[in-house]
Amino acid sequence: MSEGRLADRAYTGIVEMINDDGLAVGDRLPSEASLAETFGMSRTVVREALVRLAADGITEARRGAGSFVKSRPSDRLGAYMPLSELPSTLGSYEVRFVLEAEAARLAAVRRSGQEMDQIEAALRRLREALLSSAPAHAEDMALHRQIVMATANPAFLVAFEALEADVDRIMRAGVDISRSRPPEVIAEMMREHELIVEAIRAQDGDGAALAMRWHLSRGRKRLMP
């Protein structure tokens, strides 16, 4: 088995340990050596898993002290993906930060009037879905896709579609988890999308890229309790 696949298993095993052992935010994880022995893997593989967990906001490394629990994935995530798919699904955010932020930047400077109308229409449909009891993930996906299409570069759409399965799971889970919280969480999600569209409307490339990165960053945090 490749080291990447082994790192996925270690990542999943550490999340299971956090859940099964009832580790709270701020609790210290076992040492790399201990985790390697527990999982029957090398310390190199465990270290890769910990780096990815930290990137996904689940753990944090403290110099000279080890790794600690930073946040726990929401229990509701299990309704949308098996735990074994959590590494690849959350890992897709790292690609989206690069891909969609640049797509938003290019859309802002290249979009046509017709494409702007399509983005605006997609935003209205998302608003209607989010403010109702509808699932809303299809409308969320449609808005992000319209922004990617406005780059005038088909390669962006090819890359976006390669992530579609992971993005769909995230969007389904994100709306469900947000609706289980106070109403202002959905309002915040809607405002993030509006800021992206406002920057694209104003042809502010840097602003659109920043708004997209902020939205994705907040979206990843909403997957945690």
Side-chain angles (χ1 to χ4, degrees), residues 61-220:
R62 300 177 189 170
R63 186 177 297 276
S67 292
F68 295 77
V69 179
K70 185 176 181 180
S71 59
R72 296 162 53 95
S74 170
D75 293 338
R76 287 176 176 261
L77 274 177
Y80 296 92
M81 69 196 78
L83 191 57
S84 61
E85 293 180 3
L86 190 64
S88 64
T89 301
L90 289 184
S92 69
Y93 267 107
E94 291 189 341
V95 181
R96 294 181 69 195
F97 284 139
V98 177
L99 176 70
E100 293 197 65
E102 185 60 19
R105 182 194 307 278
L106 292 176
V109 298
R110 294 178 178 176
R111 55 84 178 166
S112 65
Q114 182 179 9
E115 286 168 334
M116 191 67 235
D117 289 343
Q118 291 168 337
I119 290 170
E120 298 273 15
L123 180 67
R124 287 195 298 272
R125 288 190 290 270
L126 176 60
R127 182 183 295 110
E128 291 170 2
L130 280 178
L131 297 180
S132 71
S133 57
H137 65 279
E139 291 80 5
D140 198 353
M141 182 75 78
L143 175 57
H144 283 257
R145 180 185 291 273
Q146 286 292 342
I147 292 169
V148 168
M149 291 174 67
T151 63
N153 183 341
F156 274 90
L157 184 59
V158 172
F160 182 74
E161 289 181 340
L163 298 173
E164 193 161 352
D166 287 329
V167 175
D168 181 72
R169 281 192 289 266
I170 285 169
M171 288 181 172
R172 287 173 184 267
V175 172
D176 180 52
I177 291 169
S178 296
R179 282 184 171 150
S180 71
R181 295 176 179 159
E184 54 265 28
V185 177
I186 287 290
E188 178 187 69
M189 182 188 293
M190 191 62 226
R191 183 56 183 156
E192 290 163 17
H193 287 96
E194 290 169 346
L195 288 172
I196 297 167
V197 173
E198 286 172 8
I200 294 173
R201 185 189 306 119
Q203 297 187 297
D204 177 2
D206 289 344
L210 183 61
M212 180 64 80
R213 286 188 64 85
W214 173 249
H215 167 56
L216 294 174
S217 175
R218 296 299 300 166
R220 183 165 62 178

Side-chain angles (χ1 to χ4, degrees), residues 6-8 10-11 14 44-54:
L6 286 171
D8 280 352
Y11 181 118
I14 292 168
T44 300
V45 169
V46 169
R47 190 173 300 119
E48 179 183 337
L50 288 169
V51 167
R52 288 165 56 188
L53 283 160

